PDB file of all heavy atoms in Angstrom:
ATOM      1  N   SER A 121     -19.748  16.967  -5.485  1.00 98.00           N
ATOM      2  CA  SER A 121     -20.090  17.114  -6.900  1.00 98.00           C
ATOM      3  C   SER A 121     -19.108  16.437  -7.851  1.00 98.00           C
ATOM      4  O   SER A 121     -19.269  16.504  -9.061  1.00 98.00           O
ATOM      5  CB  SER A 121     -20.177  18.599  -7.267  1.00 98.00           C
ATOM      6  OG  SER A 121     -18.883  19.189  -7.301  1.00 98.00           O
ATOM      7  N   HIS A 122     -18.073  15.812  -7.286  1.00 98.00           N
ATOM      8  CA  HIS A 122     -17.104  15.072  -8.105  1.00 98.00           C
ATOM      9  C   HIS A 122     -16.444  15.969  -9.149  1.00 98.00           C
ATOM     10  O   HIS A 122     -16.285  15.595 -10.312  1.00 98.00           O
ATOM     11  CB  HIS A 122     -17.774  13.852  -8.747  1.00 98.00           C
ATOM     12  CG  HIS A 122     -18.449  12.963  -7.751  1.00 98.00           C
ATOM     13  ND1 HIS A 122     -17.785  11.978  -7.042  1.00 98.00           N
ATOM     14  CD2 HIS A 122     -19.731  12.948  -7.281  1.00 98.00           C
ATOM     15  CE1 HIS A 122     -18.624  11.378  -6.212  1.00 98.00           C
ATOM     16  NE2 HIS A 122     -19.812  11.957  -6.331  1.00 98.00           N
ATOM     17  N   GLY A 123     -16.102  17.182  -8.706  1.00 97.00           N
ATOM     18  CA  GLY A 123     -15.395  18.114  -9.561  1.00 97.00           C
ATOM     19  C   GLY A 123     -16.266  18.922 -10.494  1.00 97.00           C
ATOM     20  O   GLY A 123     -15.756  19.589 -11.397  1.00 97.00           O
ATOM     21  N   ARG A 124     -17.583  18.913 -10.264  1.00 98.00           N
ATOM     22  CA  ARG A 124     -18.495  19.555 -11.210  1.00 98.00           C
ATOM     23  C   ARG A 124     -19.030  20.899 -10.737  1.00 98.00           C
ATOM     24  O   ARG A 124     -19.555  21.668 -11.529  1.00 98.00           O
ATOM     25  CB  ARG A 124     -19.662  18.606 -11.496  1.00 98.00           C
ATOM     26  CG  ARG A 124     -19.182  17.380 -12.252  1.00 98.00           C
ATOM     27  CD  ARG A 124     -20.228  16.278 -12.358  1.00 98.00           C
ATOM     28  NE  ARG A 124     -19.655  15.185 -13.138  1.00 98.00           N
ATOM     29  CZ  ARG A 124     -20.258  14.563 -14.144  1.00 98.00           C
ATOM     30  NH1 ARG A 124     -21.471  14.917 -14.491  1.00 98.00           N
ATOM     31  NH2 ARG A 124     -19.658  13.597 -14.791  1.00 98.00           N
ATOM     32  N   GLN A 125     -18.946  21.168  -9.449  1.00 97.00           N
ATOM     33  CA  GLN A 125     -19.477  22.430  -8.935  1.00 97.00           C
ATOM     34  C   GLN A 125     -18.417  23.208  -8.176  1.00 97.00           C
ATOM     35  O   GLN A 125     -17.412  22.663  -7.719  1.00 97.00           O
ATOM     36  CB  GLN A 125     -20.673  22.169  -8.013  1.00 97.00           C
ATOM     37  CG  GLN A 125     -21.923  21.691  -8.725  1.00 97.00           C
ATOM     38  CD  GLN A 125     -23.175  22.249  -8.086  1.00 97.00           C
ATOM     39  OE1 GLN A 125     -23.639  23.324  -8.428  1.00 97.00           O
ATOM     40  NE2 GLN A 125     -23.727  21.509  -7.144  1.00 97.00           N
ATOM     41  N   MET A 126     -18.688  24.516  -8.025  1.00 97.00           N
ATOM     42  CA  MET A 126     -17.807  25.391  -7.253  1.00 97.00           C
ATOM     43  C   MET A 126     -17.749  24.919  -5.799  1.00 97.00           C
ATOM     44  O   MET A 126     -18.640  24.208  -5.332  1.00 97.00           O
ATOM     45  CB  MET A 126     -18.358  26.823  -7.285  1.00 97.00           C
ATOM     46  CG  MET A 126     -18.536  27.408  -8.657  1.00 97.00           C
ATOM     47  SD  MET A 126     -19.635  28.842  -8.581  1.00 97.00           S
ATOM     48  CE  MET A 126     -18.471  30.151  -8.838  1.00 97.00           C
ATOM     49  N   PRO A 127     -16.715  25.349  -5.066  1.00 97.00           N
ATOM     50  CA  PRO A 127     -16.705  25.054  -3.631  1.00 97.00           C
ATOM     51  C   PRO A 127     -17.913  25.679  -2.936  1.00 97.00           C
ATOM     52  O   PRO A 127     -18.519  26.616  -3.447  1.00 97.00           O
ATOM     53  CB  PRO A 127     -15.388  25.668  -3.151  1.00 97.00           C
ATOM     54  CG  PRO A 127     -14.950  26.597  -4.226  1.00 97.00           C
ATOM     55  CD  PRO A 127     -15.522  26.077  -5.503  1.00 97.00           C
ATOM     56  N   ALA A 128     -18.234  25.131  -1.775  1.00 97.00           N
ATOM     57  CA  ALA A 128     -19.368  25.584  -0.955  1.00 97.00           C
ATOM     58  C   ALA A 128     -20.713  25.240  -1.580  1.00 97.00           C
ATOM     59  O   ALA A 128     -21.731  25.820  -1.210  1.00 97.00           O
ATOM     60  CB  ALA A 128     -19.280  27.080  -0.639  1.00 97.00           C
ATOM     61  N   HIS A 129     -20.720  24.318  -2.515  1.00 97.00           N
ATOM     62  CA  HIS A 129     -21.970  23.775  -3.059  1.00 97.00           C
ATOM     63  C   HIS A 129     -22.111  22.368  -2.466  1.00 97.00           C
ATOM     64  O   HIS A 129     -21.626  21.388  -3.023  1.00 97.00           O
ATOM     65  CB  HIS A 129     -21.932  23.734  -4.585  1.00 97.00           C
ATOM     66  CG  HIS A 129     -22.043  25.092  -5.210  1.00 97.00           C
ATOM     67  ND1 HIS A 129     -21.162  26.111  -4.926  1.00 97.00           N
ATOM     68  CD2 HIS A 129     -22.937  25.601  -6.096  1.00 97.00           C
ATOM     69  CE1 HIS A 129     -21.506  27.196  -5.606  1.00 97.00           C
ATOM     70  NE2 HIS A 129     -22.576  26.917  -6.312  1.00 97.00           N
ATOM     71  N   TRP A 130     -22.782  22.331  -1.324  1.00 98.00           N
ATOM     72  CA  TRP A 130     -22.725  21.140  -0.482  1.00 98.00           C
ATOM     73  C   TRP A 130     -23.555  19.990  -1.035  1.00 98.00           C
ATOM     74  O   TRP A 130     -24.500  20.180  -1.793  1.00 98.00           O
ATOM     75  CB  TRP A 130     -23.186  21.489   0.934  1.00 98.00           C
ATOM     76  CG  TRP A 130     -22.603  22.766   1.438  1.00 98.00           C
ATOM     77  CD1 TRP A 130     -23.280  23.899   1.787  1.00 98.00           C
ATOM     78  CD2 TRP A 130     -21.208  23.068   1.641  1.00 98.00           C
ATOM     79  NE1 TRP A 130     -22.406  24.887   2.192  1.00 98.00           N
ATOM     80  CE2 TRP A 130     -21.127  24.404   2.103  1.00 98.00           C
ATOM     81  CE3 TRP A 130     -20.033  22.337   1.450  1.00 98.00           C
ATOM     82  CZ2 TRP A 130     -19.925  25.025   2.405  1.00 98.00           C
ATOM     83  CZ3 TRP A 130     -18.820  22.957   1.745  1.00 98.00           C
ATOM     84  CH2 TRP A 130     -18.772  24.280   2.214  1.00 98.00           C
ATOM     85  N   GLY A 131     -23.206  18.805  -0.596  1.00 98.00           N
ATOM     86  CA  GLY A 131     -23.937  17.602  -0.955  1.00 98.00           C
ATOM     87  C   GLY A 131     -23.185  16.397  -0.427  1.00 98.00           C
ATOM     88  O   GLY A 131     -21.950  16.335  -0.501  1.00 98.00           O
ATOM     89  N   ASN A 132     -23.888  15.444   0.136  1.00 98.00           N
ATOM     90  CA  ASN A 132     -23.270  14.189   0.582  1.00 98.00           C
ATOM     91  C   ASN A 132     -24.379  13.155   0.705  1.00 98.00           C
ATOM     92  O   ASN A 132     -25.204  13.228   1.617  1.00 98.00           O
ATOM     93  CB  ASN A 132     -22.540  14.376   1.910  1.00 98.00           C
ATOM     94  CG  ASN A 132     -21.698  13.163   2.268  1.00 98.00           C
ATOM     95  OD1 ASN A 132     -22.218  12.076   2.452  1.00 98.00           O
ATOM     96  ND2 ASN A 132     -20.384  13.372   2.360  1.00 98.00           N
ATOM     97  N   VAL A 133     -24.401  12.238  -0.219  1.00 98.00           N
ATOM     98  CA  VAL A 133     -25.507  11.282  -0.284  1.00 98.00           C
ATOM     99  C   VAL A 133     -25.563  10.396   0.958  1.00 98.00           C
ATOM    100  O   VAL A 133     -26.639   9.950   1.363  1.00 98.00           O
ATOM    101  CB  VAL A 133     -25.404  10.442  -1.580  1.00 98.00           C
ATOM    102  CG1 VAL A 133     -24.217   9.499  -1.540  1.00 98.00           C
ATOM    103  CG2 VAL A 133     -26.707   9.689  -1.848  1.00 98.00           C
ATOM    104  N   ASN A 134     -24.420  10.150   1.593  1.00 97.00           N
ATOM    105  CA  ASN A 134     -24.390   9.282   2.770  1.00 97.00           C
ATOM    106  C   ASN A 134     -24.860   9.980   4.037  1.00 97.00           C
ATOM    107  O   ASN A 134     -25.187   9.325   5.023  1.00 97.00           O
ATOM    108  CB  ASN A 134     -22.969   8.739   2.977  1.00 97.00           C
ATOM    109  CG  ASN A 134     -22.529   7.852   1.831  1.00 97.00           C
ATOM    110  OD1 ASN A 134     -23.295   7.022   1.345  1.00 97.00           O
ATOM    111  ND2 ASN A 134     -21.290   8.013   1.384  1.00 97.00           N
ATOM    112  N   LEU A 135     -24.871  11.320   4.023  1.00 98.00           N
ATOM    113  CA  LEU A 135     -25.290  12.079   5.200  1.00 98.00           C
ATOM    114  C   LEU A 135     -26.646  12.751   5.009  1.00 98.00           C
ATOM    115  O   LEU A 135     -27.083  13.523   5.857  1.00 98.00           O
ATOM    116  CB  LEU A 135     -24.235  13.145   5.521  1.00 98.00           C
ATOM    117  CG  LEU A 135     -22.830  12.636   5.877  1.00 98.00           C
ATOM    118  CD1 LEU A 135     -21.852  13.799   5.980  1.00 98.00           C
ATOM    119  CD2 LEU A 135     -22.853  11.841   7.175  1.00 98.00           C
ATOM    120  N   ASN A 136     -27.315  12.475   3.889  1.00 98.00           N
ATOM    121  CA  ASN A 136     -28.602  13.108   3.541  1.00 98.00           C
ATOM    122  C   ASN A 136     -28.458  14.616   3.332  1.00 98.00           C
ATOM    123  O   ASN A 136     -29.395  15.384   3.580  1.00 98.00           O
ATOM    124  CB  ASN A 136     -29.673  12.844   4.601  1.00 98.00           C
ATOM    125  CG  ASN A 136     -30.127  11.396   4.627  1.00 98.00           C
ATOM    126  OD1 ASN A 136     -29.726  10.605   3.782  1.00 98.00           O
ATOM    127  ND2 ASN A 136     -30.952  11.045   5.597  1.00 98.00           N
ATOM    128  N   ILE A 137     -27.277  15.045   2.872  1.00 98.00           N
ATOM    129  CA  ILE A 137     -27.095  16.439   2.477  1.00 98.00           C
ATOM    130  C   ILE A 137     -27.366  16.501   0.978  1.00 98.00           C
ATOM    131  O   ILE A 137     -26.576  16.001   0.171  1.00 98.00           O
ATOM    132  CB  ILE A 137     -25.680  16.949   2.792  1.00 98.00           C
ATOM    133  CG1 ILE A 137     -25.371  16.802   4.285  1.00 98.00           C
ATOM    134  CG2 ILE A 137     -25.543  18.414   2.364  1.00 98.00           C
ATOM    135  CD1 ILE A 137     -23.934  17.141   4.658  1.00 98.00           C
ATOM    136  N   VAL A 138     -28.494  17.088   0.605  1.00 98.00           N
ATOM    137  CA  VAL A 138     -28.954  17.077  -0.778  1.00 98.00           C
ATOM    138  C   VAL A 138     -28.104  18.027  -1.624  1.00 98.00           C
ATOM    139  O   VAL A 138     -27.769  19.131  -1.190  1.00 98.00           O
ATOM    140  CB  VAL A 138     -30.445  17.493  -0.851  1.00 98.00           C
ATOM    141  CG1 VAL A 138     -30.898  17.622  -2.298  1.00 98.00           C
ATOM    142  CG2 VAL A 138     -31.299  16.470  -0.102  1.00 98.00           C
ATOM    143  N   THR A 139     -27.756  17.603  -2.819  1.00 97.00           N
ATOM    144  CA  THR A 139     -26.965  18.426  -3.729  1.00 97.00           C
ATOM    145  C   THR A 139     -27.611  19.790  -3.930  1.00 97.00           C
ATOM    146  O   THR A 139     -28.801  19.902  -4.182  1.00 97.00           O
ATOM    147  CB  THR A 139     -26.788  17.722  -5.086  1.00 97.00           C
ATOM    148  OG1 THR A 139     -26.124  18.614  -6.006  1.00 97.00           O
ATOM    149  CG2 THR A 139     -28.119  17.316  -5.699  1.00 97.00           C
ATOM    150  N   LYS A 140     -26.801  20.839  -3.812  1.00 97.00           N
ATOM    151  CA  LYS A 140     -27.305  22.218  -3.908  1.00 97.00           C
ATOM    152  C   LYS A 140     -26.680  22.926  -5.098  1.00 97.00           C
ATOM    153  O   LYS A 140     -25.486  22.830  -5.332  1.00 97.00           O
ATOM    154  CB  LYS A 140     -26.991  22.977  -2.613  1.00 97.00           C
ATOM    155  CG  LYS A 140     -27.453  24.423  -2.602  1.00 97.00           C
ATOM    156  CD  LYS A 140     -28.974  24.540  -2.546  1.00 97.00           C
ATOM    157  CE  LYS A 140     -29.410  26.007  -2.538  1.00 97.00           C
ATOM    158  NZ  LYS A 140     -29.305  26.650  -3.868  1.00 97.00           N
ATOM    159  N   SER A 141     -27.510  23.649  -5.828  1.00 96.00           N
ATOM    160  CA  SER A 141     -27.040  24.439  -6.965  1.00 96.00           C
ATOM    161  C   SER A 141     -26.625  25.824  -6.492  1.00 96.00           C
ATOM    162  O   SER A 141     -26.697  26.154  -5.308  1.00 96.00           O
ATOM    163  CB  SER A 141     -28.146  24.572  -8.011  1.00 96.00           C
ATOM    164  OG  SER A 141     -29.141  25.482  -7.562  1.00 96.00           O
ATOM    165  N   SER A 142     -26.221  26.670  -7.443  1.00 96.00           N
ATOM    166  CA  SER A 142     -25.877  28.059  -7.119  1.00 96.00           C
ATOM    167  C   SER A 142     -27.102  28.957  -6.981  1.00 96.00           C
ATOM    168  O   SER A 142     -26.991  30.086  -6.509  1.00 96.00           O
ATOM    169  CB  SER A 142     -24.978  28.648  -8.219  1.00 96.00           C
ATOM    170  OG  SER A 142     -23.735  28.006  -8.264  1.00 96.00           O
ATOM    171  N   CYS A 143     -28.248  28.481  -7.412  1.00 96.00           N
ATOM    172  CA  CYS A 143     -29.451  29.320  -7.453  1.00 96.00           C
ATOM    173  C   CYS A 143     -29.896  29.706  -6.042  1.00 96.00           C
ATOM    174  O   CYS A 143     -29.963  28.861  -5.151  1.00 96.00           O
ATOM    175  CB  CYS A 143     -30.586  28.581  -8.161  1.00 96.00           C
ATOM    176  SG  CYS A 143     -30.132  27.983  -9.797  1.00 96.00           S
ATOM    177  N   THR A 144     -30.231  30.969  -5.859  1.00 92.00           N
ATOM    178  CA  THR A 144     -30.712  31.417  -4.552  1.00 92.00           C
ATOM    179  C   THR A 144     -32.230  31.305  -4.513  1.00 92.00           C
ATOM    180  O   THR A 144     -32.925  31.932  -5.301  1.00 92.00           O
ATOM    181  CB  THR A 144     -30.296  32.872  -4.276  1.00 92.00           C
ATOM    182  OG1 THR A 144     -30.763  33.694  -5.345  1.00 92.00           O
ATOM    183  CG2 THR A 144     -28.810  33.007  -4.169  1.00 92.00           C
TER     184      THR A 144
END
């Protein structure tokens, strides 16, 4: 998140890990 989200909010564009929000 480049410093924009809390830890454990996963995302990695190179690994196809889609950015995740805090919403359940």
Side-chain angles (χ1 to χ4, degrees):
S121 72
H122 306 275
R124 293 170 178 227
Q125 289 216 88
M126 303 163 108
H129 287 57
W130 316 118
N132 190 298
V133 69
N134 296 317
L135 298 172
N136 290 354
I137 302 174
V138 174
T139 174
K140 179 70 180 76
S141 74
S142 294
C143 306
T144 55

